[in-house]
Amino acid sequence: MLKGKTVVLGISGGIAVYKVVELLRLLTKAGAEVHVIMTRSAQEFVTPLTFQTLSGNPVHTDLFNLHQEQEIGHISLADRADLFLLAPATANLIGKIAQGLADDLLTTSIMATKAPVLVAPAMNTNMYENPIYQRNEKILAESGYHLLEPASGELACGWEGKGKLPEPGQILAAAESVLVPKDLLGCRLLVTAGPTREELDPVRYLSNYSSGKMGYAIAAAARQRGCTVTLVSGPTNLAAPVGVNCIRVSSAAEMRDAVLQRLEEVEVVVKAAAVADYRPVQRAQQKMKKTGDELVIELERNPDILAELGERKEGRILIGFAAETERLIAHAAEKLKKKNLDMIVANDVSREGAGFDVDTNIVRFLHADGRMEEFDLMSKKQVAHQLLNRVAVLYKP
Ligand code: PMT
């Protein structure tokens, strides 16, 4: 979303300026062209040279600097921005914007811009809770500014509480979110992710290598595009994406219950989870002991959740995944038909960079009408957006 976009990064003076160095690195890594404006006090914390070196562009500091104005004037900066990002935004900066003051380069440029403005506040807890500050924040929100909530924890001033600048990765995700087209606004989507665990006894289980990355990427991207998202997740180490309703389950049976309970509430189901096809017939109540050289475990079939959804489709958009190690297209096409799907995402999990526990995937989309689309290696985030582009075509509000 940030590739080729111009981001004006406004930095005001607080200790959290050091975190913005990493934020700038993430923005440029994501392909954004970044122009930095620093207030006088921001320059007391980190020098403009750091931001100039990392952005590859001159840093703007002064409204009345003839040289800077000649190179790229403040109105031009305001005009060319696709996104104005304020991090950290101090109580003073937010107060000035709320009151319509434009007495330096940063506040003047903010007032002049027509781009969306994303504000990442950071300050002492007492300042944050001050009713005057809260009123100012409300003025910004009502004026269409996008406000991030500060994080809680130990602050640089020694206080404990709300007021920390959110982590750079979270600010980046919020920036992408502001820029993503909201083409799925109002759409209710359920996505499953991760593995299931089928317990043998209190300390052992059958499972697979799914990390949940694919399903979580879909949940995050769908949320960015305006969906109301329910994420039914097997056991993973991932934090739920912001704004997503995450339901944690363990076994295939629990996943089935969680999905079916919410089925009536959604128009789209994407099943990225790697569900165990079999489970032990019996789960031992106590830890199983060694009894001989061989152990035979009897397994029984788990319910096929997606096949069940296909039988009671009721106009819903159903998208499945097929993880294969051979005859990718034939197996995926068979599942597409058998489970009554609109589309299936086929990934050959034996290929490097595809499938389980990596940040990328190599996929083909097989459609119910017989079309097939083939893609090169993409990040799972890109796969998610490609998948959602197809949902946007099928979805009829
Ligand atoms: O989680 P990651 O580490 O990011 O890895 C991503 C992934 C490889 C898990 C993902 O890209 C993927 O391929 N998910 C589906 C894996 C799978 O189990 O495929 P399958 O061919 O066994 O199942 C086909 C479809 O039926 C899937 O949508 C699956 O969720 C569903 N299914 C399968 C069995 C079952 N009992 N119930 C189901 O709903």
Side-chain angles (χ1 to χ4, degrees):
M1 289 306 148
L2 284 157
K3 196 159 186 224
K5 296 282 193 284
T6 299
V7 176
V8 176
L9 177 58
I11 307 175
S12 56
I15 183 64
V17 174
Y18 79 91
K19 280 191 180 175
V20 180
V21 175
E22 172 64 3
L23 173 62
L24 171 57
R25 205 188 59 76
L26 294 179
L27 287 165
T28 52
K29 200 170 158 214
E33 163 86 11
V34 186
H35 293 275
V36 175
I37 302 178
M38 296 180 84
T39 63
R40 192 185 298 273
S41 40
Q43 296 166 58
E44 299 287 336
F45 291 91
V46 177
T47 64
L49 182 64
T50 307
F51 292 105
Q52 182 156 311
T53 310
L54 287 171
S55 69
N57 287 312
V59 169
H60 303 267
T61 52
D62 192 351
L63 188 56
F64 300 108
N65 181 317
L66 294 178
H67 181 63
Q68 286 181 5
E69 270 298 299
Q70 192 187 14
E71 268 186 349
I72 176 167
H74 67 277
I75 296 297
S76 156
L77 268 182
D79 277 350
R80 69 163 64 178
D82 293 301
L83 175 71
F84 226 104
L85 172 52
L86 305 178
T90 56
N92 180 52
L93 177 67
I94 290 169
K96 279 165 57 171
I97 304 169
Q99 302 313 314
L101 296 179
D103 63 351
D104 62 6
L105 180 61
L106 183 55
T107 47
T108 310
S109 307
I110 296 164
M111 192 169 272
T113 193
K114 289 227 176 295
V117 182
L118 175 63
V119 185
M123 65 201 69
N124 161 274
T125 304
N126 291 344
M127 290 169 83
Y128 181 70
E129 287 170 356
N130 186 304
I132 298 175
Y133 170 77
Q134 287 296 325
R135 209 159 51 226
N136 287 337
E137 218 192 67
K138 200 161 165 242
I139 292 173
L140 261 59
E142 286 168 359
S143 309
Y145 288 67
H146 303 267
L147 277 140
L148 275 173
E149 215 177 300
S152 295
E154 197 182 326
L155 302 169
C157 55
W159 280 80
E160 185 90 27
K162 206 168 187 180
K164 279 162 72 95
L165 187 74
E167 287 308 311
Q170 287 173 314
I171 302 177
L172 182 84
E176 287 177 335
S177 208
V178 171
L179 290 172
V180 167
K182 303 288 176 278
D183 56 351
L184 287 169
L185 201 63
C187 172
R188 296 171 301 171
L189 179 143
L190 184 149
V191 54
T192 68
T196 65
R197 283 183 186 169
E198 311 301 325
E199 289 192 5
L200 290 159
D201 69 10
V203 299
R204 302 182 182 93
Y205 55 81
L206 300 175
S207 192
N208 58 65
Y209 292 114
S210 172
S211 62
K213 287 179 179 176
M214 189 65 251
Y216 279 59
I218 295 166
R223 177 73 193 127
Q224 287 183 340
R225 290 171 74 152
C227 292
T228 303
V229 181
T230 304
L231 168 64
V232 178
S233 172
T236 71
N237 292 322
L238 304 176
V242 177
V244 162
N245 176 25
C246 181
I247 294 138
R248 308 251 177 204
V249 297
S250 185
S251 66
E254 285 173 20
M255 184 172 279
R256 174 182 175 273
D257 289 350
V259 171
L260 293 186
Q261 266 171 31
R262 287 154 188 92
L263 195 58
E264 298 303 322
E265 301 160 15
V266 298
E267 288 102 23
V268 182
V269 179
V270 182
K271 285 223 74 248
V275 186
D277 288 321
Y278 292 89
R279 64 178 170 221
V281 171
Q282 279 192 330
R283 176 195 181 275
Q285 290 307 310
Q286 305 302 333
K287 183 180 168 192
M288 289 158 64
K289 295 289 169 206
K290 289 185 272 295
T291 49
D293 288 343
E294 282 183 10
L295 173 68
V296 176
I297 296 166
E298 198 182 342
L299 301 177
E300 64 186 357
R301 278 295 290 267
N302 260 329
D304 188 321
I305 309 165
L306 192 52
E308 219 171 313
L309 302 188
E311 279 166 21
R312 42 184 289 199
K313 204 162 174 217
E314 294 154 5
R316 244 169 246 110
I317 300 167
L318 281 188
I319 300 182
F321 272 73
E324 307 294 344
T325 54
E326 54 164 359
R327 302 189 58 226
L328 177 70
I329 296 167
H331 286 316
E334 194 185 318
K335 287 174 187 170
L336 171 79
K337 194 154 178 252
K338 210 163 127 196
K339 302 192 188 201
N340 195 17
L341 309 178
D342 295 281
M343 188 175 108
I344 194 156
V345 181
N347 39 192
D348 179 346
V349 293
S350 64
R351 290 181 70 180
E352 196 171 332
F356 294 106
D357 203 16
V358 284
D359 294 322
T360 52
N361 210 348
I362 307 168
V363 298
R364 292 173 197 219
F365 292 170
L366 277 66
H367 297 265
D369 61 12
R371 280 177 304 126
M372 187 179 79
E373 300 176 273
E374 193 172 346
F375 299 88
D376 293 332
L377 182 88
M378 289 189 279
S379 67
K380 284 186 174 165
K381 192 197 277 186
Q382 287 171 319
V383 173
H385 279 291
Q386 288 290 358
L387 182 152
L388 292 167
N389 289 346
R390 304 330 181 254
V391 171
V393 172
L394 295 169
Y395 175 62
K396 304 277 175 277

